Amino acid sequence: MTSHNEILDAALAKITTGYVFPELTGPITEAIRARQAEGGYDGLGDAEFCAAVTADLQAVCPDKHLRLMWSEEPAPVEEEDSPEEEKARWLVRYREGNFGIARVERLEGNVGYLDIRSIPDADAGTDAIGAAMQLVAHTEALVIDLRQCRGGSPNGVALWCSHFFGDDEVHLNDIYERATDATRQYWTYPHTPGPRYLDRPVTILTAAFTFSGGEELAYNLQALKRATLVGETTRGGAHPTDWIAITPHIAVTVPAARSINPVTGTNWEGVGVKPDVEAKAEDALETALALLAAE
């Protein structure tokens, strides 16, 4: 059985070598080691231990992706998957979640509605995303509900965004990666699996729960003035993250990259994506439909 001290050693090693802001890894290590030395983690169960370490990590560095995670369901602890194995494992998850698409509807007033809970990799999700866009293609306005979206793939975000612009010359986002010391640009795709949704209003619903890739989708379309955001300020996680299992039940999540929006020059880390029209999450759809009806 892996001790809590061994788990801390492994987690801090991964943070030191992988965190996108290397200048912060020293203060992070010092704070965790000080807490460990004073007995701050003694006598805790695994779930409580992970919560305590996460709180201490975020007290030093308020990065919502930087966490020690406990899971009731065991996960395999492997040195490293091959790209093919990792792709296959994610494909199973995407299929189990219907590629993140929970509902597609046509609401009263010929308003399309998409309930998106997660965002798959573009290659895996292309057919599902195309089918969803086909079903709302002839509506007069579109509501994209991201209130329960927990995140997803940057290239999947780019694929969703591509349906709302006329060509492949729209610069959506940049992501800087520490491991390669390189910045990757994300642009709209020249071809989309579903029909493009142009010259009609798009409204995005947000909640305090909305996170990561869901936030990027909202942020990109808001920055480019292609969508109106209605709801609550989102959670504020803008750093693509590596998930590394330390034991079958405990993993460390390490932000290995950071987003840089080409319009704003920054991102939503720590501050969230702020809506254009504030509303309680449970009232956001009603508010959005009233705004669309008044146009």
Side-chain angles (χ1 to χ4, degrees), residues 61-138:
C61 181
D63 186 325
K64 290 181 173 61
H65 278 111
L66 186 63
R67 307 179 66 87
L68 195 64
M69 304 281 291
W70 162 260
S71 172
E72 290 285 351
E73 294 296 323
V77 180
E78 302 173 355
E79 287 298 317
E80 187 175 354
D81 284 341
S82 70
E84 293 77 15
E85 290 171 331
E86 183 175 8
K87 184 176 181 179
R89 189 175 70 249
W90 275 106
L91 183 58
V92 170
R93 294 183 185 179
Y94 293 146
R95 286 173 174 165
E96 289 174 346
N98 197 39
F99 300 93
I101 302 168
R103 291 164 60 195
V104 183
E105 294 186 32
R106 177 180 171 275
L107 304 178
E108 185 177 351
N110 199 24
V111 176
Y113 174 81
L114 298 173
D115 183 355
I116 301 173
R117 305 292 177 88
S118 63
I119 300 174
D121 178 83
D123 288 344
T126 184
D127 289 343
I129 292 171
M133 290 305 301
Q134 184 66 59
L135 289 173
V136 299
H138 303 295

Side-chain angles (χ1 to χ4, degrees), residues 89-290:
R89 189 175 70 249
W90 275 106
L91 183 58
V92 170
R93 294 183 185 179
Y94 293 146
R95 286 173 174 165
E96 289 174 346
N98 197 39
F99 300 93
I101 302 168
R103 291 164 60 195
V104 183
E105 294 186 32
R106 177 180 171 275
L107 304 178
E108 185 177 351
N110 199 24
V111 176
Y113 174 81
L114 298 173
D115 183 355
I116 301 173
R117 305 292 177 88
S118 63
I119 300 174
D121 178 83
D123 288 344
T126 184
D127 289 343
I129 292 171
M133 290 305 301
Q134 184 66 59
L135 289 173
V136 299
H138 303 295
T139 55
E140 296 177 12
L142 180 63
V143 174
I144 302 175
D145 192 343
L146 300 178
R147 289 177 293 178
Q148 298 184 66
C149 187
R150 62 185 180 272
S153 166
N155 61 29
V157 173
L159 183 60
W160 272 116
C161 287
S162 298
H163 289 84
F164 305 107
F165 299 96
D167 55 39
D168 61 339
E169 297 182 354
V170 179
H171 190 180
L172 298 168
N173 191 32
D174 292 338
I175 294 181
Y176 168 79
E177 296 180 346
R178 177 185 172 183
T180 60
D181 193 28
T183 299
R184 176 177 175 180
Q185 296 185 342
Y186 289 83
W187 294 67
T188 48
Y189 286 90
H191 304 288
T192 56
R196 294 182 189 268
Y197 199 91
L198 308 176
D199 305 319
R200 286 162 287 173
V202 176
T203 302
I204 292 177
L205 310 183
T206 60
F209 178 85
T210 311
F211 194 53
S212 194
E215 294 178 284
E216 187 199 334
L217 178 54
Y219 193 91
N220 289 354
L221 294 182
Q222 183 188 53
L224 290 163
K225 302 187 184 305
R226 185 60 188 92
T228 299
L229 272 56
V230 177
E232 300 171 342
T233 299
T234 62
R235 283 172 64 190
H239 296 156
T241 300
D242 291 336
W243 185 95
I244 305 153
I246 298 174
T247 77
H249 293 278
I250 296 176
V252 61
T253 57
V254 181
R258 59 186 173 91
S259 296
I260 308 165
N261 184 274
V263 176
T264 66
T266 184
N267 60 45
W268 58 96
E269 178 62 40
V271 297
V273 184
K274 302 183 186 305
D276 300 297
V277 179
E278 292 187 2
K280 292 182 179 180
E282 59 267 29
D283 300 330
L285 178 57
E286 181 180 355
T287 301
L289 293 175

Side-chain angles (χ1 to χ4, degrees), residues 19-79:
Y19 189 42
V20 67
F21 297 108
E23 69 276 9
L24 298 178
T25 60
I28 288 170
T29 298
E30 290 175 9
I32 297 300
R33 291 304 189 194
R35 185 72 168 150
Q36 181 184 20
E38 67 186 25
Y41 307 126
D42 293 352
L44 298 178
D46 285 349
E48 293 78 11
F49 166 70
C50 290
V53 172
T54 296
D56 291 337
L57 287 171
Q58 295 187 0
V60 180
C61 181
D63 186 325
K64 290 181 173 61
H65 278 111
L66 186 63
R67 307 179 66 87
L68 195 64
M69 304 281 291
W70 162 260
S71 172
E72 290 285 351
E73 294 296 323
V77 180
E78 302 173 355
E79 287 298 317

